[in-house]
Amino acid sequence: ESRHRVRKSLKALPAPERLAVEVTVLEGLSHRAAGRRFNISAMTIQRRLKRGPERMESSLERHQLSF
């Protein structure tokens, strides 16, 4: 149940944030390696990693409040 909610909140992220989370957290790439993969800076990856999980947390909190 909780895994399903986390996956759903991950899929709901804007693509740039979702991809940053997937390649760094799930695949284990460094910020620098992820940046190279997408041809963007490591700092951009870092910003996306900050926003993505914040949005996921907010989404998960709203979902829990509705029960």
Side-chain angles (χ1 to χ4, degrees), residues 35-52:
R36 280 194 300 266
R37 179 181 284 189
F38 298 115
N39 200 30
I40 57 176
S41 73
M43 184 58 76
T44 299
I45 292 291
Q46 187 174 356
R47 282 192 296 270
R48 291 175 182 177
L49 285 171
K50 181 178 183 332
R51 283 191 304 256

Side-chain angles (χ1 to χ4, degrees), residues 15-40:
E17 293 171 11
R18 179 178 44 79
L19 291 170
V21 171
E22 288 175 348
V23 300
T24 57
V25 177
L26 302 179
E27 293 181 28
L29 292 182
S30 68
H31 295 176
R32 190 172 289 166
R36 280 194 300 266
R37 179 181 284 189
F38 298 115
N39 200 30
I40 57 176

